[in-house]
Amino acid sequence: MGLLYLPNNRFLYASSFVKIFQYDLLSSNIPNSVIEVAAWDTVYSPFETKFFLHQLAPDGKIYISTFGGCDVLHVIESPDSLGLACNVLQNELVLPIRNSSIPNFPNYSVGVLPGSSCDTIVGIHPIPINKPPNLNLFYQPQGQTASITASNLIGTKGIMEIFDVHGKMVYRKDMQILNGYYAHNFSMAGLTDGMFFVNLITSGIPIIRKIVKY
């Protein structure tokens, strides 16, 4: 789901995974002002390019990421225009790598807030933030492929193992971790439908998640 309020004080954009809606906040009946401005075009690149996070960029356009880690972004060319004139372009921007998030741009024009401790924080030492390892799995039934992405991993090497529900190992691969991140696509075409367990081991720390083939 995505939600974005524009600085022109008029339009609000919201999306489900398969549709994008525009609300007119100057309407006397805001709920009834909703207009469907786009429906997912069912493109895969390489996974479902469904609508996810929204971000208004410095160029005045809205960029929308995809859910599941694709290599494209959707673009709303004219977000200050009413209805279909906002011109939603699906899969418009091709990325060099797959991605499911979107940049966050700080507001450089906020200015100084006199008297606020936020402007004068001193004497506080940086506190290290140790984020827990994260493992995401996404199964694409059309290609019978599992997309495996992990972040916040420790070390530079590890092992990935996949087991069936009976504890039988069906796949094993040495991992090369770059800046705490690892990604891999695994073909499940030769496996029977059912539940499997993905186990990542880095620096002796196991991370286990389940995935279902259907």
Side-chain angles (χ1 to χ4, degrees), residues 133 135 148 150 153-163 169 171-177 182 198-209:
L135 173 58
I148 301 169
L153 300 178
I154 300 174
T156 59
K157 295 182 180 181
I159 299 172
M160 180 179 68
E161 300 171 335
I162 301 179
F163 299 87
M169 184 186 298
Y171 187 76
R172 186 182 188 277
K173 181 178 178 61
D174 293 332
M175 299 164 49
Q176 298 295 325
I177 302 169
Y182 178 75
V198 177
N199 180 31
L200 300 188
I201 303 175
T202 61
S203 298
I205 302 175
I207 314 169
I208 302 175
R209 297 288 187 274

PDB file of all heavy atoms in Angstrom, residues 133 135 148 150 153-163 169 171-177 182 198-209:
ATOM      1  N   PRO A 133      19.276  -9.313  11.605  1.00  0.00           N
ATOM      2  CA  PRO A 133      19.264  -9.814  10.225  1.00  0.00           C
ATOM      3  C   PRO A 133      17.840  -9.928   9.703  1.00  0.00           C
ATOM      4  O   PRO A 133      16.903 -10.217  10.448  1.00  0.00           O
ATOM      5  CB  PRO A 133      19.934 -11.193  10.353  1.00  0.00           C
ATOM      6  CG  PRO A 133      20.715 -11.128  11.619  1.00  0.00           C
ATOM      7  CD  PRO A 133      19.945 -10.232  12.532  1.00  0.00           C
ATOM      8  N   LEU A 135      15.435 -11.522   6.442  1.00  0.00           N
ATOM      9  CA  LEU A 135      15.365 -12.445   5.314  1.00  0.00           C
ATOM     10  C   LEU A 135      13.975 -12.380   4.706  1.00  0.00           C
ATOM     11  O   LEU A 135      12.970 -12.593   5.387  1.00  0.00           O
ATOM     12  CB  LEU A 135      15.665 -13.881   5.779  1.00  0.00           C
ATOM     13  CG  LEU A 135      15.483 -15.002   4.750  1.00  0.00           C
ATOM     14  CD1 LEU A 135      16.359 -14.774   3.527  1.00  0.00           C
ATOM     15  CD2 LEU A 135      15.794 -16.351   5.389  1.00  0.00           C
ATOM     16  N   ILE A 148      15.158 -14.727  -3.080  1.00  0.00           N
ATOM     17  CA  ILE A 148      15.650 -14.691  -1.710  1.00  0.00           C
ATOM     18  C   ILE A 148      16.524 -13.460  -1.530  1.00  0.00           C
ATOM     19  O   ILE A 148      17.512 -13.285  -2.248  1.00  0.00           O
ATOM     20  CB  ILE A 148      16.448 -15.968  -1.392  1.00  0.00           C
ATOM     21  CG1 ILE A 148      15.568 -17.212  -1.597  1.00  0.00           C
ATOM     22  CG2 ILE A 148      17.026 -15.929   0.019  1.00  0.00           C
ATOM     23  CD1 ILE A 148      16.332 -18.515  -1.570  1.00  0.00           C
ATOM     24  N   ALA A 150      18.352 -10.968   1.600  1.00  0.00           N
ATOM     25  CA  ALA A 150      18.668 -10.839   3.023  1.00  0.00           C
ATOM     26  C   ALA A 150      19.498  -9.585   3.237  1.00  0.00           C
ATOM     27  O   ALA A 150      20.295  -9.201   2.387  1.00  0.00           O
ATOM     28  CB  ALA A 150      19.425 -12.069   3.517  1.00  0.00           C
ATOM     29  N   LEU A 153      23.236  -8.637   7.325  1.00  0.00           N
ATOM     30  CA  LEU A 153      23.976  -9.849   7.639  1.00  0.00           C
ATOM     31  C   LEU A 153      25.372  -9.509   8.162  1.00  0.00           C
ATOM     32  O   LEU A 153      25.936  -8.468   7.821  1.00  0.00           O
ATOM     33  CB  LEU A 153      24.095 -10.728   6.388  1.00  0.00           C
ATOM     34  CG  LEU A 153      22.774 -11.189   5.763  1.00  0.00           C
ATOM     35  CD1 LEU A 153      23.045 -12.004   4.511  1.00  0.00           C
ATOM     36  CD2 LEU A 153      21.955 -11.992   6.760  1.00  0.00           C
ATOM     37  N   ILE A 154      25.919 -10.393   8.962  1.00  0.00           N
ATOM     38  CA  ILE A 154      27.247 -10.196   9.534  1.00  0.00           C
ATOM     39  C   ILE A 154      28.258 -11.016   8.743  1.00  0.00           C
ATOM     40  O   ILE A 154      28.006 -12.170   8.404  1.00  0.00           O
ATOM     41  CB  ILE A 154      27.264 -10.618  11.016  1.00  0.00           C
ATOM     42  CG1 ILE A 154      26.265  -9.776  11.817  1.00  0.00           C
ATOM     43  CG2 ILE A 154      28.654 -10.476  11.614  1.00  0.00           C
ATOM     44  CD1 ILE A 154      26.115 -10.228  13.252  1.00  0.00           C
ATOM     45  N   GLY A 155      29.406 -10.415   8.463  1.00  0.00           N
ATOM     46  CA  GLY A 155      30.455 -11.133   7.761  1.00  0.00           C
ATOM     47  C   GLY A 155      30.360 -10.973   6.256  1.00  0.00           C
ATOM     48  O   GLY A 155      29.529 -10.235   5.722  1.00  0.00           O
ATOM     49  N   THR A 156      31.224 -11.705   5.555  1.00  0.00           N
ATOM     50  CA  THR A 156      31.272 -11.635   4.094  1.00  0.00           C
ATOM     51  C   THR A 156      30.924 -12.961   3.425  1.00  0.00           C
ATOM     52  O   THR A 156      30.757 -13.013   2.216  1.00  0.00           O
ATOM     53  CB  THR A 156      32.673 -11.207   3.628  1.00  0.00           C
ATOM     54  OG1 THR A 156      33.647 -12.148   4.115  1.00  0.00           O
ATOM     55  CG2 THR A 156      33.019  -9.817   4.155  1.00  0.00           C
ATOM     56  N   LYS A 157      30.820 -14.022   4.213  1.00  0.00           N
ATOM     57  CA  LYS A 157      30.501 -15.330   3.652  1.00  0.00           C
ATOM     58  C   LYS A 157      29.477 -16.033   4.525  1.00  0.00           C
ATOM     59  O   LYS A 157      29.322 -15.730   5.705  1.00  0.00           O
ATOM     60  CB  LYS A 157      31.761 -16.197   3.530  1.00  0.00           C
ATOM     61  CG  LYS A 157      32.790 -15.660   2.555  1.00  0.00           C
ATOM     62  CD  LYS A 157      33.986 -16.598   2.448  1.00  0.00           C
ATOM     63  CE  LYS A 157      35.024 -16.064   1.469  1.00  0.00           C
ATOM     64  NZ  LYS A 157      36.195 -16.981   1.343  1.00  0.00           N
ATOM     65  N   GLY A 158      28.778 -16.979   3.925  1.00  0.00           N
ATOM     66  CA  GLY A 158      27.787 -17.746   4.658  1.00  0.00           C
ATOM     67  C   GLY A 158      27.330 -18.932   3.843  1.00  0.00           C
ATOM     68  O   GLY A 158      27.876 -19.227   2.772  1.00  0.00           O
ATOM     69  N   ILE A 159      26.313 -19.612   4.333  1.00  0.00           N
ATOM     70  CA  ILE A 159      25.758 -20.792   3.675  1.00  0.00           C
ATOM     71  C   ILE A 159      24.239 -20.650   3.618  1.00  0.00           C
ATOM     72  O   ILE A 159      23.603 -20.246   4.597  1.00  0.00           O
ATOM     73  CB  ILE A 159      26.129 -22.085   4.429  1.00  0.00           C
ATOM     74  CG1 ILE A 159      27.646 -22.270   4.478  1.00  0.00           C
ATOM     75  CG2 ILE A 159      25.476 -23.300   3.777  1.00  0.00           C
ATOM     76  CD1 ILE A 159      28.084 -23.415   5.362  1.00  0.00           C
ATOM     77  N   MET A 160      23.666 -20.971   2.460  1.00  0.00           N
ATOM     78  CA  MET A 160      22.218 -21.028   2.318  1.00  0.00           C
ATOM     79  C   MET A 160      21.807 -22.481   2.097  1.00  0.00           C
ATOM     80  O   MET A 160      22.336 -23.159   1.221  1.00  0.00           O
ATOM     81  CB  MET A 160      21.739 -20.173   1.146  1.00  0.00           C
ATOM     82  CG  MET A 160      20.220 -20.208   0.973  1.00  0.00           C
ATOM     83  SD  MET A 160      19.650 -19.164  -0.392  1.00  0.00           S
ATOM     84  CE  MET A 160      20.312 -20.066  -1.788  1.00  0.00           C
ATOM     85  N   GLU A 161      20.847 -22.951   2.889  1.00  0.00           N
ATOM     86  CA  GLU A 161      20.335 -24.313   2.770  1.00  0.00           C
ATOM     87  C   GLU A 161      18.815 -24.268   2.675  1.00  0.00           C
ATOM     88  O   GLU A 161      18.170 -23.416   3.299  1.00  0.00           O
ATOM     89  CB  GLU A 161      20.741 -25.157   3.977  1.00  0.00           C
ATOM     90  CG  GLU A 161      22.238 -25.275   4.166  1.00  0.00           C
ATOM     91  CD  GLU A 161      22.607 -25.924   5.473  1.00  0.00           C
ATOM     92  OE1 GLU A 161      21.794 -25.856   6.428  1.00  0.00           O
ATOM     93  OE2 GLU A 161      23.703 -26.511   5.553  1.00  0.00           O
ATOM     94  N   ILE A 162      18.250 -25.164   1.877  1.00  0.00           N
ATOM     95  CA  ILE A 162      16.791 -25.265   1.750  1.00  0.00           C
ATOM     96  C   ILE A 162      16.389 -26.696   2.063  1.00  0.00           C
ATOM     97  O   ILE A 162      16.949 -27.653   1.508  1.00  0.00           O
ATOM     98  CB  ILE A 162      16.321 -24.857   0.343  1.00  0.00           C
ATOM     99  CG1 ILE A 162      16.749 -23.408   0.039  1.00  0.00           C
ATOM    100  CG2 ILE A 162      14.810 -24.993   0.216  1.00  0.00           C
ATOM    101  CD1 ILE A 162      16.362 -22.921  -1.337  1.00  0.00           C
ATOM    102  N   PHE A 163      15.411 -26.856   2.968  1.00  0.00           N
ATOM    103  CA  PHE A 163      14.941 -28.162   3.405  1.00  0.00           C
ATOM    104  C   PHE A 163      13.454 -28.307   3.109  1.00  0.00           C
ATOM    105  O   PHE A 163      12.703 -27.320   3.117  1.00  0.00           O
ATOM    106  CB  PHE A 163      15.155 -28.340   4.913  1.00  0.00           C
ATOM    107  CG  PHE A 163      16.594 -28.257   5.351  1.00  0.00           C
ATOM    108  CD1 PHE A 163      17.177 -27.033   5.646  1.00  0.00           C
ATOM    109  CD2 PHE A 163      17.366 -29.401   5.464  1.00  0.00           C
ATOM    110  CE1 PHE A 163      18.498 -26.944   6.056  1.00  0.00           C
ATOM    111  CE2 PHE A 163      18.688 -29.324   5.868  1.00  0.00           C
ATOM    112  CZ  PHE A 163      19.254 -28.107   6.162  1.00  0.00           C
ATOM    113  N   MET A 169      17.526 -31.980   2.888  1.00  0.00           N
ATOM    114  CA  MET A 169      18.111 -30.829   2.210  1.00  0.00           C
ATOM    115  C   MET A 169      17.944 -30.985   0.705  1.00  0.00           C
ATOM    116  O   MET A 169      18.343 -31.989   0.120  1.00  0.00           O
ATOM    117  CB  MET A 169      19.598 -30.696   2.557  1.00  0.00           C
ATOM    118  CG  MET A 169      20.249 -29.448   1.943  1.00  0.00           C
ATOM    119  SD  MET A 169      22.049 -29.372   2.208  1.00  0.00           S
ATOM    120  CE  MET A 169      22.123 -29.309   3.992  1.00  0.00           C
ATOM    121  N   TYR A 171      18.716 -28.174  -1.383  1.00  0.00           N
ATOM    122  CA  TYR A 171      19.570 -27.191  -2.052  1.00  0.00           C
ATOM    123  C   TYR A 171      20.570 -26.646  -1.032  1.00  0.00           C
ATOM    124  O   TYR A 171      20.254 -26.465   0.150  1.00  0.00           O
ATOM    125  CB  TYR A 171      18.733 -26.043  -2.613  1.00  0.00           C
ATOM    126  CG  TYR A 171      19.492 -25.057  -3.476  1.00  0.00           C
ATOM    127  CD1 TYR A 171      19.848 -25.373  -4.776  1.00  0.00           C
ATOM    128  CD2 TYR A 171      19.844 -23.803  -2.980  1.00  0.00           C
ATOM    129  CE1 TYR A 171      20.534 -24.463  -5.575  1.00  0.00           C
ATOM    130  CE2 TYR A 171      20.523 -22.892  -3.774  1.00  0.00           C
ATOM    131  CZ  TYR A 171      20.874 -23.233  -5.062  1.00  0.00           C
ATOM    132  OH  TYR A 171      21.555 -22.335  -5.846  1.00  0.00           O
ATOM    133  N   ARG A 172      21.780 -26.384  -1.505  1.00  0.00           N
ATOM    134  CA  ARG A 172      22.814 -25.778  -0.652  1.00  0.00           C
ATOM    135  C   ARG A 172      23.713 -24.901  -1.508  1.00  0.00           C
ATOM    136  O   ARG A 172      24.067 -25.280  -2.617  1.00  0.00           O
ATOM    137  CB  ARG A 172      23.666 -26.849   0.039  1.00  0.00           C
ATOM    138  CG  ARG A 172      24.659 -26.282   1.057  1.00  0.00           C
ATOM    139  CD  ARG A 172      25.500 -27.399   1.650  1.00  0.00           C
ATOM    140  NE  ARG A 172      26.322 -26.942   2.750  1.00  0.00           N
ATOM    141  CZ  ARG A 172      27.510 -26.334   2.620  1.00  0.00           C
ATOM    142  NH1 ARG A 172      28.006 -26.131   1.393  1.00  0.00           N
ATOM    143  NH2 ARG A 172      28.193 -25.943   3.685  1.00  0.00           N
ATOM    144  N   LYS A 173      24.051 -23.719  -1.001  1.00  0.00           N
ATOM    145  CA  LYS A 173      24.871 -22.785  -1.781  1.00  0.00           C
ATOM    146  C   LYS A 173      25.707 -21.943  -0.831  1.00  0.00           C
ATOM    147  O   LYS A 173      25.219 -21.476   0.207  1.00  0.00           O
ATOM    148  CB  LYS A 173      23.995 -21.876  -2.648  1.00  0.00           C
ATOM    149  CG  LYS A 173      24.777 -20.881  -3.505  1.00  0.00           C
ATOM    150  CD  LYS A 173      23.854 -20.061  -4.372  1.00  0.00           C
ATOM    151  CE  LYS A 173      24.627 -19.017  -5.189  1.00  0.00           C
ATOM    152  NZ  LYS A 173      25.608 -19.647  -6.092  1.00  0.00           N
ATOM    153  N   ASP A 174      26.990 -21.755  -1.202  1.00  0.00           N
ATOM    154  CA  ASP A 174      27.839 -20.818  -0.463  1.00  0.00           C
ATOM    155  C   ASP A 174      27.435 -19.396  -0.809  1.00  0.00           C
ATOM    156  O   ASP A 174      27.160 -19.067  -1.971  1.00  0.00           O
ATOM    157  CB  ASP A 174      29.308 -21.044  -0.815  1.00  0.00           C
ATOM    158  CG  ASP A 174      29.823 -22.382  -0.312  1.00  0.00           C
ATOM    159  OD1 ASP A 174      29.285 -22.879   0.695  1.00  0.00           O
ATOM    160  OD2 ASP A 174      30.742 -22.940  -0.943  1.00  0.00           O
ATOM    161  N   MET A 175      27.387 -18.538   0.192  1.00  0.00           N
ATOM    162  CA  MET A 175      26.945 -17.165   0.024  1.00  0.00           C
ATOM    163  C   MET A 175      28.124 -16.207   0.031  1.00  0.00           C
ATOM    164  O   MET A 175      29.036 -16.338   0.834  1.00  0.00           O
ATOM    165  CB  MET A 175      25.978 -16.768   1.148  1.00  0.00           C
ATOM    166  CG  MET A 175      24.711 -17.589   1.225  1.00  0.00           C
ATOM    167  SD  MET A 175      23.878 -17.357   2.823  1.00  0.00           S
ATOM    168  CE  MET A 175      23.857 -15.564   2.968  1.00  0.00           C
ATOM    169  N   GLN A 176      28.090 -15.229  -0.867  1.00  0.00           N
ATOM    170  CA  GLN A 176      29.021 -14.115  -0.863  1.00  0.00           C
ATOM    171  C   GLN A 176      28.241 -12.867  -0.455  1.00  0.00           C
ATOM    172  O   GLN A 176      27.373 -12.407  -1.198  1.00  0.00           O
ATOM    173  CB  GLN A 176      29.672 -13.934  -2.234  1.00  0.00           C
ATOM    174  CG  GLN A 176      30.505 -15.118  -2.694  1.00  0.00           C
ATOM    175  CD  GLN A 176      31.727 -15.334  -1.809  1.00  0.00           C
ATOM    176  OE1 GLN A 176      32.323 -14.378  -1.322  1.00  0.00           O
ATOM    177  NE2 GLN A 176      32.087 -16.604  -1.621  1.00  0.00           N
ATOM    178  N   ILE A 177      28.520 -12.339   0.717  1.00  0.00           N
ATOM    179  CA  ILE A 177      27.750 -11.232   1.279  1.00  0.00           C
ATOM    180  C   ILE A 177      28.473  -9.921   0.992  1.00  0.00           C
ATOM    181  O   ILE A 177      29.674  -9.790   1.241  1.00  0.00           O
ATOM    182  CB  ILE A 177      27.575 -11.419   2.796  1.00  0.00           C
ATOM    183  CG1 ILE A 177      26.870 -12.758   3.079  1.00  0.00           C
ATOM    184  CG2 ILE A 177      26.785 -10.274   3.401  1.00  0.00           C
ATOM    185  CD1 ILE A 177      26.900 -13.149   4.543  1.00  0.00           C
ATOM    186  N   TYR A 182      22.536  -9.892   0.646  1.00  0.00           N
ATOM    187  CA  TYR A 182      22.658 -11.076  -0.214  1.00  0.00           C
ATOM    188  C   TYR A 182      21.330 -11.286  -0.949  1.00  0.00           C
ATOM    189  O   TYR A 182      20.249 -11.130  -0.379  1.00  0.00           O
ATOM    190  CB  TYR A 182      22.979 -12.318   0.615  1.00  0.00           C
ATOM    191  CG  TYR A 182      23.059 -13.587  -0.208  1.00  0.00           C
ATOM    192  CD1 TYR A 182      24.162 -13.846  -1.017  1.00  0.00           C
ATOM    193  CD2 TYR A 182      22.029 -14.519  -0.182  1.00  0.00           C
ATOM    194  CE1 TYR A 182      24.237 -14.997  -1.783  1.00  0.00           C
ATOM    195  CE2 TYR A 182      22.097 -15.683  -0.938  1.00  0.00           C
ATOM    196  CZ  TYR A 182      23.205 -15.921  -1.737  1.00  0.00           C
ATOM    197  OH  TYR A 182      23.271 -17.058  -2.499  1.00  0.00           O
ATOM    198  N   VAL A 198      13.987 -22.131   4.345  1.00  0.00           N
ATOM    199  CA  VAL A 198      15.243 -21.546   3.891  1.00  0.00           C
ATOM    200  C   VAL A 198      16.057 -21.164   5.124  1.00  0.00           C
ATOM    201  O   VAL A 198      15.574 -20.441   6.007  1.00  0.00           O
ATOM    202  CB  VAL A 198      14.997 -20.311   3.013  1.00  0.00           C
ATOM    203  CG1 VAL A 198      16.317 -19.674   2.602  1.00  0.00           C
ATOM    204  CG2 VAL A 198      14.184 -20.687   1.783  1.00  0.00           C
ATOM    205  N   ASN A 199      17.282 -21.652   5.191  1.00  0.00           N
ATOM    206  CA  ASN A 199      18.148 -21.427   6.340  1.00  0.00           C
ATOM    207  C   ASN A 199      19.429 -20.734   5.873  1.00  0.00           C
ATOM    208  O   ASN A 199      20.168 -21.263   5.051  1.00  0.00           O
ATOM    209  CB  ASN A 199      18.483 -22.764   7.010  1.00  0.00           C
ATOM    210  CG  ASN A 199      19.377 -22.585   8.226  1.00  0.00           C
ATOM    211  OD1 ASN A 199      19.313 -21.569   8.912  1.00  0.00           O
ATOM    212  ND2 ASN A 199      20.213 -23.572   8.495  1.00  0.00           N
ATOM    213  N   LEU A 200      19.665 -19.516   6.370  1.00  0.00           N
ATOM    214  CA  LEU A 200      20.903 -18.801   6.094  1.00  0.00           C
ATOM    215  C   LEU A 200      21.769 -18.835   7.349  1.00  0.00           C
ATOM    216  O   LEU A 200      21.276 -18.555   8.452  1.00  0.00           O
ATOM    217  CB  LEU A 200      20.629 -17.346   5.703  1.00  0.00           C
ATOM    218  CG  LEU A 200      19.773 -17.075   4.475  1.00  0.00           C
ATOM    219  CD1 LEU A 200      19.791 -15.595   4.154  1.00  0.00           C
ATOM    220  CD2 LEU A 200      20.219 -17.880   3.288  1.00  0.00           C
ATOM    221  N   ILE A 201      23.034 -19.171   7.176  1.00  0.00           N
ATOM    222  CA  ILE A 201      23.960 -19.214   8.305  1.00  0.00           C
ATOM    223  C   ILE A 201      25.119 -18.266   8.010  1.00  0.00           C
ATOM    224  O   ILE A 201      25.854 -18.444   7.040  1.00  0.00           O
ATOM    225  CB  ILE A 201      24.498 -20.634   8.529  1.00  0.00           C
ATOM    226  CG1 ILE A 201      23.335 -21.617   8.760  1.00  0.00           C
ATOM    227  CG2 ILE A 201      25.432 -20.664   9.729  1.00  0.00           C
ATOM    228  CD1 ILE A 201      23.781 -23.062   8.859  1.00  0.00           C
ATOM    229  N   THR A 202      25.249 -17.214   8.824  1.00  0.00           N
ATOM    230  CA  THR A 202      26.355 -16.270   8.697  1.00  0.00           C
ATOM    231  C   THR A 202      26.959 -16.050  10.068  1.00  0.00           C
ATOM    232  O   THR A 202      26.235 -15.767  11.026  1.00  0.00           O
ATOM    233  CB  THR A 202      25.874 -14.920   8.127  1.00  0.00           C
ATOM    234  OG1 THR A 202      24.908 -14.350   9.012  1.00  0.00           O
ATOM    235  CG2 THR A 202      25.241 -15.101   6.758  1.00  0.00           C
ATOM    236  N   SER A 203      28.257 -16.182  10.170  1.00  0.00           N
ATOM    237  CA  SER A 203      28.964 -16.020  11.444  1.00  0.00           C
ATOM    238  C   SER A 203      28.340 -16.883  12.537  1.00  0.00           C
ATOM    239  O   SER A 203      28.249 -16.472  13.700  1.00  0.00           O
ATOM    240  CB  SER A 203      28.966 -14.548  11.877  1.00  0.00           C
ATOM    241  OG  SER A 203      29.653 -13.754  10.937  1.00  0.00           O
ATOM    242  N   GLY A 204      27.884 -18.067  12.145  1.00  0.00           N
ATOM    243  CA  GLY A 204      27.314 -18.999  13.111  1.00  0.00           C
ATOM    244  C   GLY A 204      25.897 -18.698  13.524  1.00  0.00           C
ATOM    245  O   GLY A 204      25.328 -19.388  14.366  1.00  0.00           O
ATOM    246  N   ILE A 205      25.285 -17.646  12.954  1.00  0.00           N
ATOM    247  CA  ILE A 205      23.928 -17.247  13.332  1.00  0.00           C
ATOM    248  C   ILE A 205      22.947 -17.717  12.255  1.00  0.00           C
ATOM    249  O   ILE A 205      23.026 -17.264  11.106  1.00  0.00           O
ATOM    250  CB  ILE A 205      23.822 -15.723  13.495  1.00  0.00           C
ATOM    251  CG1 ILE A 205      24.818 -15.232  14.551  1.00  0.00           C
ATOM    252  CG2 ILE A 205      22.398 -15.318  13.873  1.00  0.00           C
ATOM    253  CD1 ILE A 205      24.872 -13.729  14.687  1.00  0.00           C
ATOM    254  N   PRO A 206      22.021 -18.642  12.577  1.00  0.00           N
ATOM    255  CA  PRO A 206      21.060 -19.108  11.574  1.00  0.00           C
ATOM    256  C   PRO A 206      19.845 -18.193  11.482  1.00  0.00           C
ATOM    257  O   PRO A 206      19.393 -17.622  12.472  1.00  0.00           O
ATOM    258  CB  PRO A 206      20.662 -20.488  12.101  1.00  0.00           C
ATOM    259  CG  PRO A 206      20.794 -20.363  13.588  1.00  0.00           C
ATOM    260  CD  PRO A 206      21.927 -19.399  13.833  1.00  0.00           C
ATOM    261  N   ILE A 207      19.346 -18.024  10.277  1.00  0.00           N
ATOM    262  CA  ILE A 207      18.093 -17.293  10.033  1.00  0.00           C
ATOM    263  C   ILE A 207      17.207 -18.234   9.218  1.00  0.00           C
ATOM    264  O   ILE A 207      17.583 -18.650   8.128  1.00  0.00           O
ATOM    265  CB  ILE A 207      18.322 -16.002   9.241  1.00  0.00           C
ATOM    266  CG1 ILE A 207      19.503 -15.212   9.819  1.00  0.00           C
ATOM    267  CG2 ILE A 207      17.065 -15.147   9.224  1.00  0.00           C
ATOM    268  CD1 ILE A 207      19.941 -14.069   8.930  1.00  0.00           C
ATOM    269  N   ILE A 208      16.038 -18.557   9.728  1.00  0.00           N
ATOM    270  CA  ILE A 208      15.167 -19.535   9.085  1.00  0.00           C
ATOM    271  C   ILE A 208      13.819 -18.884   8.749  1.00  0.00           C
ATOM    272  O   ILE A 208      13.213 -18.233   9.595  1.00  0.00           O
ATOM    273  CB  ILE A 208      14.945 -20.768   9.988  1.00  0.00           C
ATOM    274  CG1 ILE A 208      16.277 -21.414  10.341  1.00  0.00           C
ATOM    275  CG2 ILE A 208      14.047 -21.783   9.289  1.00  0.00           C
ATOM    276  CD1 ILE A 208      16.155 -22.561  11.320  1.00  0.00           C
ATOM    277  N   ARG A 209      13.385 -19.053   7.497  1.00  0.00           N
ATOM    278  CA  ARG A 209      12.064 -18.616   7.079  1.00  0.00           C
ATOM    279  C   ARG A 209      11.445 -19.716   6.210  1.00  0.00           C
ATOM    280  O   ARG A 209      12.155 -20.499   5.570  1.00  0.00           O
ATOM    281  CB  ARG A 209      12.145 -17.316   6.256  1.00  0.00           C
ATOM    282  CG  ARG A 209      12.696 -16.121   7.005  1.00  0.00           C
ATOM    283  CD  ARG A 209      11.718 -15.586   8.031  1.00  0.00           C
ATOM    284  NE  ARG A 209      12.216 -14.355   8.607  1.00  0.00           N
ATOM    285  CZ  ARG A 209      13.049 -14.292   9.639  1.00  0.00           C
ATOM    286  NH1 ARG A 209      13.469 -15.424  10.209  1.00  0.00           N
ATOM    287  NH2 ARG A 209      13.471 -13.128  10.120  1.00  0.00           N
TER     288      ARG A 209
END
